[in-house]
Amino acid sequence: MVFCSAVAQQKTFFMEGKAQGTTYQIQYLAEHEIVFKSSIDSVMHTIDQSMSLYQPHSLISMFNRQYHYELLIDTHMQNVLREAFRVHEKSKGLFDITVKPLVDLWGFGSEGIDDYPKQSAIDTVLSYVGMNKIWLQGDVLHKQDSRIAIDLNGIAQGYTVDVVAQLLDKSGIESYLVEVGGEIRTKGTKVDGNNYEVAIERPVGAESSTFVLQLADLAVTTSGNYRKVAEYEGKKVHHHMNPSTGYPLQNNVVSATIIAPTAMQADAYDNVFMALSPTEGIALAETLPGIEVYLIYEQGGAYKEAFSDGFIPYVKP
C-alpha cells in the first residue's frame, strides 16, 4: 500500500525553452520538482560551447579554422566523435562529418551561393574531405589538411538529448520524455501507465497513412529531404552530401524515421538511411542490432512506405 500510494502521488512536470537554434521540451514524473530549467539550460550551453558551429569560440569552430591542425577537445566532443567513427564504418563511409566544405560549397551552409559550383571546385574540396583525414588521439583531435572542417549537426543534437536524459537518470527520475528539435528519448511510462506516444513527422502529400509510435526506454528521430531543397539542372537537390562524388545525394527517399537505444544513434543513422535506396536501407537496418527504420519514398509520382521487420510492433494499433 505504501508503494501504491507513492505511485499515486507522482505528478508530471514540464519544461520548455530555446537552445541550439531550436526548441526543447521535457516532461518527467516525480513526487516533487527535482530537475529545474536552469540545469537543462546549463547542459545545453556547455554542449554549445563544444560543438555549435554558430558559436565562434566553440571547440568545433576553433578546430575548423585553417590555422589549426590539432585541438584539445572536451568529453562531449570525444563521445560524439567516437560514435561518428563507428557509424562511418557501419555505413561504409556514407556518414561523414568532414562534408562541411561541400555543404558550404553547394549553398546549404550559413551563407548562400549565386551559382552552383564547377567540377574543378568540387574536386578541390574533395581532396580534403574524408574521415580518414582526421583522427582522435586521446583527447586531441587531429587533421591532415588545415582546410578540413567538420560538422556534427547530424549527430550532436541527438547526443544532447542523451545527456539531458542522463541528468534525469542521475536525479532518480524513472519516467520522462526529452525532445530537442524533434529528436526524442523516453524512459518508463506516463502517469497513467501507458507508454509515451510520438507522432511521426511526415512530408506534405504523405498524410494518407498516419502513425503514432508507442515507446519506452527508446529514442526516435526523423530526417527528411523536404526541409532544405534547391534545384540543380532541373532536379531537386538536398543538403545530404555524397562524400565520394561531392554532389548532393539524389534518390527517392523522402524521410527516414529511426528507433534506436540512444538518440545519438538514431540521429546519426537517419542521415545514413536518407542516403540509401529503400531496399538498401532496409537491408542495412536488419544488420544493426536495436535499430529499426521506417522510410517514406517516392515512386511513380506517389509516396510509398518501407519498414524494417522490428518497426511495426512500435506502431499504435
Side-chain angles (χ1 to χ4, degrees):
M1 290 182 66
V2 172
F3 172 77
C4 292
S5 176
V7 171
Q9 292 173 13
Q10 296 264 300
K11 293 184 284 187
T12 304
F13 294 89
F14 295 91
M15 285 180 283
E16 60 182 17
K18 294 182 178 180
Q20 300 184 347
T22 186
T23 59
Y24 69 81
Q25 296 184 44
I26 298 163
Q27 57 177 288
Y28 67 86
L29 291 185
E31 293 182 35
H32 55 84
E33 193 169 10
I34 301 173
V35 177
F36 298 89
K37 187 175 182 297
S38 58
S39 299
I40 303 300
D41 289 339
S42 177
V43 167
M44 302 284 190
H45 176 75
T46 299
I47 294 176
D48 268 355
Q49 294 305 307
S50 176
M51 293 176 284
S52 172
L53 292 171
Y54 298 98
Q55 298 290 336
H57 302 296
S58 67
L59 291 175
I60 193 170
S61 293
M62 288 191 286
F63 180 77
N64 286 347
R65 294 190 182 114
Q66 292 198 11
Y67 52 80
H68 275 294
Y69 280 87
E70 60 184 45
L71 188 72
L72 181 69
I73 60 174
D74 65 358
T75 302
H76 290 305
M77 198 167 172
Q78 291 174 46
N79 292 339
V80 169
L81 281 165
R82 291 191 183 99
E83 184 63 24
F85 279 112
R86 282 192 288 269
V87 177
H88 176 76
E89 181 181 359
K90 291 287 187 182
S91 67
K92 297 181 179 179
L94 279 176
F95 183 81
D96 194 314
I97 62 173
T98 68
V99 297
K100 184 182 186 302
L102 287 172
V103 173
D104 294 340
L105 186 67
W106 282 90
F108 290 109
S110 58
E111 298 181 7
I113 55 172
D114 295 324
D115 296 304
Y116 284 114
K118 300 184 183 305
Q119 186 63 50
S120 58
I122 294 170
D123 291 340
T124 297
V125 172
L126 278 176
S127 70
Y128 52 89
V129 167
M131 286 184 65
N132 61 319
K133 297 177 176 65
I134 62 171
W135 66 97
L136 187 59
Q137 189 171 16
D139 53 4
V140 177
L141 181 61
H142 302 259
K143 58 183 176 181
Q144 286 181 358
D145 190 307
S146 65
R147 296 171 294 178
I148 291 172
I150 62 175
D151 183 343
L152 297 173
N153 287 343
I155 185 172
Q157 202 163 81
Y159 175 74
T160 299
V161 171
D162 292 334
V163 173
V164 172
Q166 290 165 11
L167 173 63
L168 299 177
D169 289 337
K170 290 177 182 177
S171 301
I173 295 171
E174 297 292 334
S175 173
Y176 56 71
L177 183 147
V178 177
E179 180 265 331
V180 181
E183 323 291 325
I184 294 171
R185 182 165 172 174
T186 69
K187 180 180 181 181
T189 58
K190 296 183 292 184
V191 70
D192 60 5
N194 293 319
N195 290 337
Y196 287 98
E197 295 186 352
V198 178
I200 298 175
E201 181 181 355
R202 315 189 70 194
V204 174
E207 297 92 348
S208 57
S209 176
T210 57
F211 288 118
V212 173
L213 301 181
Q214 295 180 314
L215 302 175
D217 306 321
L218 289 167
V220 60
T221 67
T222 295
S223 180
N225 64 17
Y226 44 89
R227 290 174 178 167
K228 298 179 181 179
V229 183
E231 189 169 297
Y232 174 70
E233 295 184 347
K235 296 180 180 179
K236 290 181 179 180
V237 294
H238 313 281
H239 68 288
H240 295 94
M241 293 288 148
N242 187 323
S244 299
T245 67
Y247 282 80
L249 288 157
Q250 294 187 46
N251 63 15
N252 61 342
V253 175
V254 177
S255 71
T257 297
I258 313 301
I259 297 173
T262 69
M264 178 166 61
Q265 288 175 300
D267 197 12
Y269 276 110
D270 64 26
N271 295 278
V272 174
F273 289 106
M274 287 298 302
L276 296 170
S277 70
T279 301
E280 292 170 332
I282 297 303
L284 174 63
E286 303 300 349
T287 71
L288 300 172
I291 304 292
E292 304 298 342
V293 60
Y294 162 56
L295 303 174
I296 299 175
Y297 63 98
E298 194 172 4
Q299 190 174 75
Y303 287 113
K304 297 189 176 182
E305 302 167 324
F307 310 84
S308 59
D309 288 342
F311 187 90
I312 294 298
Y314 296 107
V315 177
K316 183 178 180 180

